Amino acid sequence: MSKPIALEMKNISKSFGSIQANKNVSLEVYHGEILAILGENGCGKTTLMNMIAGIYFPDEGTVLVDGKEVVISSPKDAFDHKIGMIHQHFKLVDVFTATENIVLGLEGQGKFDLKAAQQQVAEICDRYGFEVDLKKKIYAMAVSEKQTVEIIKVLYRGADILILDEPTAVLTPQETEKLFAVLRRMRDDGKAIIIITHKLHEVLALTDRVTVLRRGEHIGTVNTAETSESELTEMMVGKKIVLNIDRTDALGLPDRIVVDGLNCYDQYGVQVLSDVGFAVRGGEILGVAGIAGSGQKELCETIAGLQSIEKGAILYNKENIIGKSPKEIIEMGISMSFVPEDRLGMGLVGNMDIVDNMMLRSYRKGKSIFLD
């Protein structure tokens, strides 16, 4: 490849106690290319990239940026070498605007000129085709908008090597296509882009090369144009896998939930659902399609008891559950679960472990203040 190497890792190893996260991993990424780091959950993809981003420090091995050996012991060191990472769970301040988050932490002489900074950010948006309201508060943004702010934030700091951890995990197909278009423009501008993923169809649609990890080890790197889903799957898992899934048709099963004439307004008085009606039958998966902001989020939250509605009905076994809280819905014997798009921010408590998070839904049970 005639393009210059932007980043090279040689024989990188990292352990956490007895767990070997990465073992003698070597790879390189070139300026003007998109490289996918592919592998199953727990194969060491994020750990490897966290060492480039300065979050972890390798036990063994060397890192070279533009052909020069470097030591990256902190995220500041990474930025000094023009490396920026967009994490799967965003690192933003909810009560700040997009622009304030983008410039947060940067040193300046005297009073910071936020207006000039906003103009610079707007130029970056125009250059790569980002669509975001720079004056909008983070708490009012959709997940895709927050991700856009994170990407602009590392570009504003001068990053030439960008690492994206599972960037499409919470995006709709339309939002994914927009992101891919932006990444292609960044690649054409000479940026080196690394994407951590396990979605094969996205790898084939976007990337130039693919590096596959399995159990913390580098299995191989292939050109995307010369590989296939079956070959990549075999490299990931270590054996041939049949990707086809046989599904039997569920016939004659009753309606589980019937939504009838649902009308809902958001906190600003804007109507987000207008006379929505459908039935969800047992034994089926119902898809709700639409571009971002079409009311999908509000629809799910309304059914789960998290949103109040203006009028309409949600029937479970002919009983209307409108106006009931999630706790009351559970007490009715309805086994309904809602997984929000912002899983860490809304669905989990990040500094608590798995067991504590699972107990949160049933902490009221018991005869004393102590829980076994």
Side-chain angles (χ1 to χ4, degrees):
M1 185 177 283
S2 60
K3 296 175 181 176
I5 296 177
L7 175 78
E8 189 173 4
M9 304 182 81
K10 292 183 177 181
N11 302 316
I12 297 292
S13 295
K14 180 67 179 178
S15 297
F16 298 96
S18 61
I19 299 172
Q20 182 92 47
N22 295 118
K23 184 179 179 182
N24 296 327
V25 177
S26 297
L27 61 85
E28 67 280 329
V29 59
Y30 295 83
H31 284 290
E33 83 157 348
I34 300 175
L35 174 73
I37 307 294
L38 185 65
E40 294 183 283
N41 285 333
C43 72
K45 304 186 298 292
T46 300
T47 299
L48 185 67
M49 292 300 103
N50 277 338
M51 284 186 275
I52 302 173
I55 295 171
Y56 298 143
F57 193 79
D59 299 332
E60 299 175 17
T62 55
V63 177
L64 292 88
V65 176
D66 291 328
K68 297 179 181 178
E69 186 174 333
V70 299
V71 175
I72 302 174
S73 56
S74 70
K76 184 180 183 302
D77 289 344
F79 275 122
D80 289 343
H81 296 295
K82 298 187 175 183
I83 300 170
M85 184 167 179
I86 296 90
H87 298 271
Q88 187 174 1
H89 300 298
F90 309 133
K91 316 294 183 184
L92 300 170
V93 181
D94 278 354
V95 295
F96 284 4
T97 65
T99 302
E100 289 167 345
N101 269 278
I102 289 164
V103 303
L104 186 64
L106 291 176
E107 295 180 3
Q109 298 296 323
K111 187 178 178 181
F112 197 87
D113 191 343
L114 194 61
K115 190 174 181 180
Q118 186 163 311
Q119 187 174 347
Q120 288 179 286
V121 173
E123 289 170 3
I124 294 173
C125 294
D126 292 340
R127 183 173 182 177
Y128 297 112
F130 291 110
E131 296 178 10
V132 64
D133 182 354
L134 297 176
K135 296 181 180 179
K136 194 174 183 180
K137 302 282 189 182
I138 297 299
Y139 65 76
M141 288 186 174
V143 173
S144 60
E145 293 175 293
K146 294 178 184 179
Q147 184 182 70
T148 299
V149 173
E150 286 280 23
I151 296 173
I152 298 170
K153 188 166 74 173
V154 298
L155 290 172
Y156 185 79
R157 284 159 171 74
D160 285 331
I161 302 167
L162 287 88
I163 305 162
L164 292 90
D165 188 0
E166 300 283 1
T168 64
V170 290
L171 300 186
T172 65
Q174 296 91 339
E175 291 167 344
T176 298
E177 280 304 315
K178 282 185 179 180
L179 174 64
F180 284 4
V182 169
L183 294 179
R184 290 187 186 105
R185 283 191 284 270
M186 290 165 59
R187 175 190 60 191
D188 296 342
D189 196 39
K191 304 291 186 186
I193 301 169
I194 303 173
I195 292 183
I196 305 170
T197 186
H198 50 243
K199 296 183 178 180
L200 295 174
H201 64 284
E202 293 180 357
V203 168
L204 296 174
L206 177 67
T207 64
D208 299 294
R209 293 187 305 131
V210 188
T211 291
V212 179
L213 299 183
R214 185 170 73 235
R215 299 189 186 95
E217 297 188 44
H218 178 218
I219 301 304
T221 299
V222 296
N223 293 324
T224 307
E226 299 169 1
T227 190
S228 63
E229 282 195 13
S230 57
E231 181 183 348
L232 292 174
T233 304
E234 188 173 346
M235 292 174 70
M236 286 170 59
V237 181
K239 60 183 179 180
K240 289 187 179 293
I241 298 290
V242 178
L243 298 176
N244 296 325
I245 300 173
D246 294 323
R247 291 188 175 92
T248 56
D249 292 330
L251 302 173
L253 292 169
D255 293 342
R256 292 294 184 204
I257 289 179
V258 177
V259 175
D260 182 32
L262 212 58
N263 288 265
C264 178
Y265 294 82
D266 66 13
Q267 58 183 326
Y268 306 108
V270 177
Q271 188 167 17
V272 289
L273 299 175
S274 176
D275 200 28
V276 175
F278 57 86
V280 184
R281 300 183 182 89
E284 75 170 7
I285 299 172
L286 176 70
V288 179
I291 62 173
S294 295
Q296 304 98 310
K297 175 175 175 285
E298 289 80 6
L299 175 62
C300 292
E301 289 182 354
T302 300
I303 295 172
L306 299 173
Q307 284 259 14
S308 58
I309 71 163
E310 188 71 17
K311 65 177 181 177
I314 300 173
L315 304 176
Y316 179 87
N317 285 341
K318 298 183 179 179
E319 185 171 355
N320 195 352
I321 61 172
I322 285 294
K324 298 192 182 301
S325 67
K327 179 175 180 287
E328 290 170 332
I329 291 172
I330 292 170
E331 289 174 348
M332 290 173 64
I334 301 173
S335 298
M336 184 190 298
S337 182
F338 173 59
V339 181
E341 61 174 354
D342 185 2
R343 293 165 296 177
L344 186 62
M346 187 177 176
L348 300 167
V349 181
N351 61 352
M352 291 171 60
D353 63 23
I354 294 173
V355 173
D356 288 342
N357 270 284
M358 291 178 69
M359 289 192 305
L360 281 176
R361 65 189 299 266
S362 56
Y363 69 91
R364 291 182 180 86
K365 296 177 182 178
K367 297 179 180 179
S368 75
I369 61 171
F370 298 104
L371 185 67
D372 186 348

